[in-house]
């Protein structure tokens, strides 16, 4: 009976240790997200390159926006 309790404790500790490794201090890096200021808002309608809201023209094909 004591052996089963000890084995259960060891399994629990192992699961917590394995589960704790996937926790990063910056979860956006873990999930593959980029910070808001680096994300693209919409793709360019002409060449589908990523653009930002502050862009006045496409950096890839040069087409003006607006």
């Amino acid at each position: 009976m004591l052996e089963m309790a000890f084995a259960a404790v060891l399994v629990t500790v192992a699961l917590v240790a394995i589960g704790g490794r996937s926790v990063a201090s910056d979860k956006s890096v873990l999930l593959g997200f980029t910070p808001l200021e680096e994300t693209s808002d919409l793709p360019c309608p002409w060449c589908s390159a990523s653009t930002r809201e502050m862009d006045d023209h496409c950096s890839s094909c040069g087409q003006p926006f607006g």
Side-chain angles (χ1 to χ4, degrees):
M1 184 74 165
L2 185 60
E3 294 88 6
M4 291 177 58
F6 184 67
V9 169
L10 286 180
V11 169
T12 303
V13 169
L15 290 175
V16 169
I18 291 171
R21 289 185 186 167
S22 65
V23 176
S25 60
D26 186 9
K27 290 189 180 195
S28 65
V29 172
L30 179 66
L31 298 175
F33 295 129
T34 56
L36 184 60
E37 61 271 0
E38 294 179 14
T39 60
S40 62
D41 293 315
L42 292 172
C44 172
W46 294 278
C47 70
S48 299
S50 32
T51 61
R52 289 183 277 184
E53 187 173 344
M54 67 183 97
D55 293 340
D56 59 350
H57 67 281
C58 178
S59 61
S60 181
C61 68
Q63 288 288 335
F65 298 139

